[in-house]
Amino acid sequence: RPALARFVTFPLVESVVQCILPALVLNLLIAGVPLLLARLARAAGAVSLSAVDWAVAQQYFVFLAVTVFAGSFISGSVLNQIALWVRRPSAALNILGASAPMTSQYFLSFIVFMALAAAPFALLRLPALALFSLKTATAGTERAKARLWQDQFQAYGPRLPRLSLVLLLGVTFTPINPIVPPACLLYFLMVSLTEKYNLLYVQRERFQSGGLAWPLAQRQVTASLLVAQVTLVFILAVKGAPWAAALVVPLIPATLLFRSAAR
């Protein structure tokens, strides 16, 4: 036990456990959600490939916003301060206002992990590589092997919500933590390289939707802005800056009007 305690408290190991391991576990837990949502969409009656993909993109974003953002935000802000809540229930809002910005450190680690590990890992495509190798070994002709390489298609459902999630985290925590914007910039730069390579040289489009991805992306962007604005109003109010919170309030109906006009 003493040797294990010294190993765990070693600075490098402690940094890995605190910064990398939670983000890795979270990414592994949510990796299979798009497949499950696609099955549910087919079971619900979606008959076209585009209908299934758009259903996954919408529901996956809601899932990520609720579980990753709201769940982690609430657990990091409330559960970590539960002892203070019990001792000082009258100061609940003040405690929440002080602890909520601390959760930005966790999301910062999550964004950096997505940029430096998850995005480059997309180039390897290990599950697809293993399946391709197995099918190639059993293919009878060179034409069949070439067809296997061509049968690699892109899907917006698993990809677009992850981009929107990082945008949601960025616009929400940028006023709280100034290190969040460079982390988001790093993530989008990495994704622009990896996704562009896959779309240009590896994968093909399975269907043509006539630009239906753009309204979906716009709804997720405006939803992220609304969440960020409401969160900022709440934090400013409980931190004792009511006038600053009042200046942010008009942004909420303005965003709703923009969303309505964009439809």
Side-chain angles (χ1 to χ4, degrees), residues 73 76-78 80-102 233-242:
F73 187 78
S77 302
V78 177
N80 290 340
Q81 305 293 329
I82 193 68
L84 292 176
W85 283 56
V86 173
R87 292 197 302 267
R88 299 169 55 195
S90 60
L93 289 179
N94 293 332
I95 295 172
L96 183 60
S99 59
M102 297 171 58
V233 169
F234 173 76
I235 291 179
L236 289 175
V238 299
K239 294 288 283 184

Side-chain angles (χ1 to χ4, degrees), residues 219-235:
R219 289 194 296 270
Q220 295 183 3
V221 169
T222 52
S224 301
L225 290 175
L226 288 171
V227 172
Q229 292 160 5
V230 172
T231 304
L232 183 58
V233 169
F234 173 76
I235 291 179

Side-chain angles (χ1 to χ4, degrees), residues 146-230:
R147 188 164 56 248
L148 289 175
W149 177 258
Q150 296 173 359
D151 290 342
Q152 299 184 84
F153 301 98
Q154 63 171 335
Y156 293 102
R159 292 175 172 173
L160 180 59
R162 286 179 172 265
L163 300 174
S164 301
L165 174 65
V166 176
L167 176 65
L168 170 61
L169 298 177
V171 296
T172 301
F173 292 102
T174 289
I176 302 173
N177 191 334
I179 309 179
V180 170
C184 293
L185 176 61
L186 176 63
Y187 170 77
F188 286 115
L189 287 176
M190 294 298 297
V191 168
S192 67
L193 294 176
T194 58
E195 293 294 340
K196 185 182 295 184
Y197 177 83
N198 283 331
L199 294 177
L200 289 178
Y201 301 110
V202 179
Q203 299 170 336
R204 298 188 295 133
E205 290 184 330
R206 190 184 292 271
F207 59 86
Q208 289 286 337
S209 66
L212 289 181
W214 292 107
L216 178 61
Q218 184 265 343
R219 289 194 296 270
Q220 295 183 3
V221 169
T222 52
S224 301
L225 290 175
L226 288 171
V227 172
Q229 292 160 5
V230 172

